Amino acid sequence: MTMTKEVFQKEFCDKLTTTFGKNVEEATDKEAFQAISLMLKDELHRKWQRTQQAYQDQDHKQVYYFSMEFLLGRLIETNLLNVGWLNICREALTDFGFHSEEVFCEEHDAGLGNGGLGRLAACFLDSLASLKLPGHGVGIRYKYGLFQQKMVNGYQVELPDYWLKDDYMWETKREEEAVEIRFGGTVHTIQRDQKLCFEHRDYERVLAIPYDVPIVGYQNDVVNTLQLWSAESMSNHFHFQSPNGHDYYHYLDYKRSVEQISEFLYPDDSYYEGKLLRLKQQYFLVSAGLQSILQKHKKSNLSIQQIPDYISLQINDTHPSLIVPELMRLLLDEEGLGWDEAWSITTSTVAYTNHTTLNEALETWPQEMFQTLLPRIYMIIEEINERFCRMLWHDFPELRDSIHQMAIISYGTIHMAHLSMVGSYSINGVAKLHTNILKKRVMKPFYTVFPERFNNKTNGITHRRWLLNANPELANLLSTTIGKGWIKEPKELIQLLKFAHDSSFQEAISNVKLRNKQAFASFIYKQYGIVIDEQSIFDVHIKRLHGYKRQLLNIFHILHLYHLCRENPHLQMTPRTFIFGAKAAPGYHFAKNVIKLITSAAEKINNDPVAKDKIKIIFLENYNVSLAERIIPAADVSEQISTASKEASGTGNMKLMMNGALTLGTRDGANVEIAEMVGPDNLFTFGLTSEEVFEYQRNGQYRARDVYNSDQRLRTVLDQLVTQFFSNDDVEFKDIYYSLLMKNDEFFVLKDFDSYVEAQQLVDQTYRHQQTWLKKSITNIAHSGKFSSDRTISQYANEIWGIHPVEI
Ligand code: 26W
């Protein structure tokens, strides 16, 4: 039956009655949300079953995207849009006196990820389903997602994110598909039928239970699966026999330690810490996911040798890289294959994506800890390592001096990136520049050995969430101007170029932006009681807080502007609202200091009459996916100012350009490709190039102190950090000061300052010519189609996975 408003309203009322015993007048927003999700669930589950049946019947290769993070945000709007009910639902709710936005906000934002890597995984799932591709996610059902950030006196305080408190409406528990995971114990070598076998004894047993979340394609009947695994204890692991209660207390200890495994998401982004529990999580994910995939494979009467023809396993960074030895273990110990055959299957099935070249983010594990937790897996890695090093010695004499740098295990440390490269058939970076840096520098010797494995897949974002849903007014304007084709084929946005100079279209674009800015301003007023000027430039810096992302450079420029205002109260400048949103890893001292610096500057500047009509600083509390959906449509300027070479790609840059913001950026990550598309006149580029950064790192000739000494503006700003400029507490920003002057400014903040100030002046001047600005803005939207994750996923499907669309 096709859905109409009348049918929707009737079913909605029925659901309210049968679930809550209420009618529409009595129902709360939360109950309304739950009723809608239940209606959707009925619809989705039918399509879900049909999709899975079609995948089985039609004998398709499927891909599984293994990731420790899926940063989904809310799903209600996506699901409504994708089944074609969104407008009907909005109208129906309005008729009944609900505000649809408030009803949708009842869904808890699912924050099972830190930042870029986790959000990318969520965008990829959306594109897989929307392109009718048989691809699924495999992750962990953390009881607590990324912490909630609360600001107290300008400091970040972390609170637990208990997102499951009201039941997660989209998940289905599949107890019957549980599998067992084994930790610890000892491995014994035994002879069985002339064959050497490995027997794992005295291990701890953990039950892994999958919770399936439907991933709905855009109006195409496809529903794929995100399988999230939860750890539970096995009561039959114990024999309750002791009369003094010892067994029972042992059981309680065991239960607590098991449930810890899927308890919370580690809040570290691009900074690695070798925590035992994280290693447990990684093996738990990989072993549970793989066992369940292999079971399904065997059920469809396919042979083990056919695995590479029917399955691709993509690993999202090295976090799931234990998939290599775990697949080997299953093939050797459970299926009885020989090493060579098992290795050939494994290395034709696993593919690896790298998301960072930062040294401090590369995963390694201490051999001893690893061996105790995963004795059999360790043995397999040892064997992989030995064979790999032997191969290098024989086949690559020119690399003999590098073998110790390429080994998987060296000096008591296991290198997960090495394991990932040796064990997979594809190794990809996430933007052109990043892939070249991998090939030419970070992974150079591996590129010599496996040149055919390396490839680039520039990231993308789902335009359905980030344009169609987040910015409905702009989406409507685009559709009335160039037709609706862009929704299915985002590259069609290029037709907008014809209208870049059209003054009535410019005006329409400008009106949409203004209304989005007004909506955001009223949100800010409600939330923080701060009034912001809708006519000011909304200058947006939203991403995790990290040294290399250089929020510090931004705030230094603001402090400099403030100084100019104080010197000259009649300063000519376009009013600006600087908007920050960022969480810092709880243990990252420097990042937390930068947050405090931003909030202290906000406190001082926002309350100074001299700067009143010129500068406002907003630090948004608890930046997450849902908040991003509010800010991005209202942004004028997109801050993408990482130290060149450090940001693998960036994806916020793409979301912002797609919504008409102009990039102010370094030549880093995907900024390079954005610049290539829109041309140098349609964004603001500044700063050192990656090659210059590498050269300084090599020759050691950068002297931060010289820059400080020779630039009066920087001296003023930096000295304020250690005097009583912000408050009475003069120690607060000493660490930032020292990191720049004593530790020689690792991220070249001072070095790029002059060039950044100049670029910011150009932003100011350009904004004064609204027609010029709007032309640039339209040009950005027109070229943003390339950065849809539909393009990215098509490339993965064709060039890495070999999977094809399925007709349901
Ligand atoms: C083990 C600690 C840890 C945790 C997360 C190390 C590294 C990570 C991720 C790889 C960090 C991350 O999210 N990287 C980002 O990935 C995005 C998607 O490809 C890119 O757009 C960003 O540039 C990159 O920083």
Side-chain angles (χ1 to χ4, degrees), residues 504-694:
S504 66
F505 185 66
Q506 288 176 353
E507 197 186 319
I509 284 281
S510 159
N511 288 337
V512 169
K513 184 61 84 182
L514 182 63
R515 278 195 293 276
N516 290 335
K517 288 166 78 170
Q518 285 165 341
F520 186 70
S522 78
F523 165 78
I524 290 295
Y525 183 71
K526 267 191 223 143
Q527 204 79 1
Y528 305 98
I530 301 177
V531 178
I532 54 182
D533 174 3
E534 297 152 8
Q535 303 295 331
S536 66
I537 302 176
F538 282 21
D539 183 324
V540 174
H541 202 164
I542 43 174
K543 49 188 82 250
R544 280 297 286 260
L545 214 134
H546 204 292
Y548 83 83
K549 295 181 188 280
R550 297 201 294 192
Q551 281 92 351
L552 199 55
L553 179 56
N554 187 343
I555 198 71
F556 281 0
H557 166 251
I558 299 171
L559 289 170
H560 162 63
L561 275 185
Y562 175 53
H563 193 76
L564 293 183
C565 290
R566 300 229 301 188
E567 275 181 342
N568 171 13
H570 305 292
L571 182 76
Q572 283 282 316
M573 74 170 266
T574 318
R576 280 253 203 153
T577 305
F578 294 95
I579 299 162
F580 292 87
K583 289 180 182 175
Y588 191 175
H589 175 77
F590 171 85
K592 289 186 136 177
N593 261 237
V594 174
I595 290 183
K596 177 61 179 163
L597 178 60
I598 296 170
T599 54
S600 302
E603 177 78 20
K604 176 135 190 139
I605 297 174
N606 294 353
N607 293 312
D608 186 338
V610 167
K612 190 168 156 287
D613 301 319
K614 302 200 178 95
I615 309 175
K616 265 276 144 74
I617 306 175
I618 308 286
F619 186 90
L620 299 164
E621 185 175 69
N622 200 36
Y623 175 62
N624 62 9
V625 172
S626 299
L627 201 47
E629 288 164 11
R630 287 181 187 271
I631 307 159
I632 291 171
D636 295 308
V637 175
S638 160
E639 299 269 357
Q640 307 300 336
I641 61 176
S642 53
T643 311
S645 80
K646 303 264 179 192
E647 188 70 274
S649 160
T651 45
N653 45 5
M654 302 168 185
K655 294 164 196 164
L656 284 153
M657 87 178 284
M658 193 175 269
N659 283 274
L662 302 195
T663 305
L664 168 54
T666 47
R667 283 160 281 190
D668 200 16
N671 296 353
V672 177
E673 285 156 82
I674 292 178
E676 238 172 61
M677 294 298 292
V678 301
D681 289 346
N682 292 303
L683 81 175
F684 305 93
T685 299
F686 73 95
L688 293 174
T689 63
S690 52
E691 288 303 322
E692 287 165 341
V693 169
F694 289 132

Side-chain angles (χ1 to χ4, degrees), residues 116-117 120 268-272 278 317 319 355-356 361 363 430 459 548 647-651:
L117 162 132
L120 185 76
D268 302 322
D269 184 273
S270 302
Y271 183 80
Y272 163 77
R278 188 169 158 92
D317 216 275
H319 318 156
H355 297 266
T356 179
E363 286 191 300
V430 291
N459 280 167
Y548 83 83
E647 188 70 274
S649 160
T651 45

